[in-house]
């Protein structure tokens, strides 16, 4: 029975993204970083940036963003990035704590459950913060800019669908 609970905790940890050293043998790149670390670093970098706000900034001329709007959007991205770095560090620390709890000779399963709930809560907070930042960014735009954004999205979608159908026709 104890083995079953131990296995259940380990599975839960893996599902939550807590990495265990035995998951894969490290293979290096040119900087000597294991692939696992590179994937984690990329994941964290992606989480630190809000894609739609970066898109607004990349098409600022088409949206006719003012300097004040650009500064406001850049501040949202900066604030979100700082908070995400802190949250990711908290998630990593909680993951280390969980790993330590589970690896003990007599694991405290109650503490492990509590730690898993803490990690889940931090991950949920991270996703909610992303949505909040996206909403703030969207609200920086005027109604006209929001409409223009919808138009540009539609054009982009049509272009992608057209490109996809051309690719499918070439395969046939």
């Amino acid at each position: 029975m104890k083995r079953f609970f131990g296995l259940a905790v380990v599975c839960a940890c893996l599902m939550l993204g807590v990495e265990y050293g035995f998951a894969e043998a490290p293979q290096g790149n040119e900087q000597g970083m294991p692939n696992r670390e590179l994937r984690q670093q990329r994941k964290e970098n992606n989480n630190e940036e809000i894609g739609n706000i970066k898109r607004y900034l990349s098409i600022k001329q088409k949206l006719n963003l003012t300097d004040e709007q650009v500064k406001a959007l850049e501040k949202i991205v900066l604030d979100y990035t700082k908070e995400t770095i802190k949250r990711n560090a908290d998630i990593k620390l909680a993951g280390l704590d969980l790993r330590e709890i589970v690896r003990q000779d007599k694991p405290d399963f109650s503490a492990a459950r509590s730690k898993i709930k803490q990690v889940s809560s931090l991950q949920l907070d991270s996703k909610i913060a992303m949505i909040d930042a996206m909403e703030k960014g969207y609200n920086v735009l005027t109604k006209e800019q929001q409409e223009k954004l919808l138009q540009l999205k539609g054009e982009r979608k049509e272009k992608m669908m057209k490109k996809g159908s051309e690719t499918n026709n070439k395969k046939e």
Side-chain angles (χ1 to χ4, degrees), residues 7-166:
L7 182 59
V9 169
V10 170
C11 289
C13 294
L14 291 174
M15 287 174 29
L16 289 171
V18 177
E19 291 189 30
Y20 285 89
F22 57 80
E24 70 178 52
Q27 297 172 353
N29 64 356
E30 52 274 357
Q31 288 87 22
M33 289 179 71
N35 291 336
R36 181 178 64 245
E37 288 178 26
L38 282 174
R39 281 194 306 273
Q40 182 67 26
Q41 190 176 49
R42 276 191 221 115
K43 181 180 175 185
E44 289 171 5
N45 289 341
N46 288 338
N47 289 339
E48 292 167 13
E49 297 177 354
I50 312 156
N52 64 343
I53 295 178
K54 286 187 73 171
R55 196 171 316 119
Y56 302 163
L57 292 169
S58 71
I59 59 172
K60 63 184 174 187
Q61 287 82 18
K62 290 180 182 178
L63 292 176
N64 294 321
L65 295 180
T66 65
D67 290 341
E68 293 81 26
Q69 287 176 310
V70 170
K71 287 178 185 173
L73 292 170
E74 288 173 344
K75 182 175 178 2
I76 292 167
V77 171
L78 180 64
D79 292 345
Y80 173 78
T81 301
K82 287 179 180 179
E83 288 302 314
T84 299
I85 290 168
K86 290 176 187 175
R87 253 189 314 278
N88 285 344
D90 290 342
I91 290 170
K92 280 185 174 183
L93 291 172
L96 289 173
D97 291 344
L98 177 60
R99 186 181 308 162
E100 189 63 30
I101 291 168
V102 173
R103 287 186 175 172
Q104 293 177 8
D105 289 338
K106 290 190 175 188
D108 181 352
F109 294 110
S110 175
R113 283 184 200 91
S114 176
K115 197 54 72 171
I116 289 172
K117 288 178 183 176
Q118 179 187 3
V119 170
S120 293
S121 176
L122 289 167
Q123 290 172 335
L124 176 64
D125 291 347
S126 183
K127 291 178 187 329
I128 290 172
M130 180 183 65
I131 294 299
D132 291 346
M134 289 170 68
E135 181 180 25
K136 286 178 190 175
Y138 187 76
N139 289 335
V140 166
L141 304 178
T142 64
K143 293 288 181 197
E144 294 81 21
Q145 290 168 329
Q146 291 172 357
E147 290 171 8
K148 179 68 174 178
L149 182 64
L150 278 174
Q151 175 193 346
L152 293 170
K153 283 183 180 180
E155 290 171 4
R156 183 174 178 219
K157 187 175 180 180
E158 283 179 28
K159 187 177 178 180
M160 295 300 283
M161 290 177 65
K162 187 176 180 181
K163 188 176 183 178
S165 67
E166 288 174 1

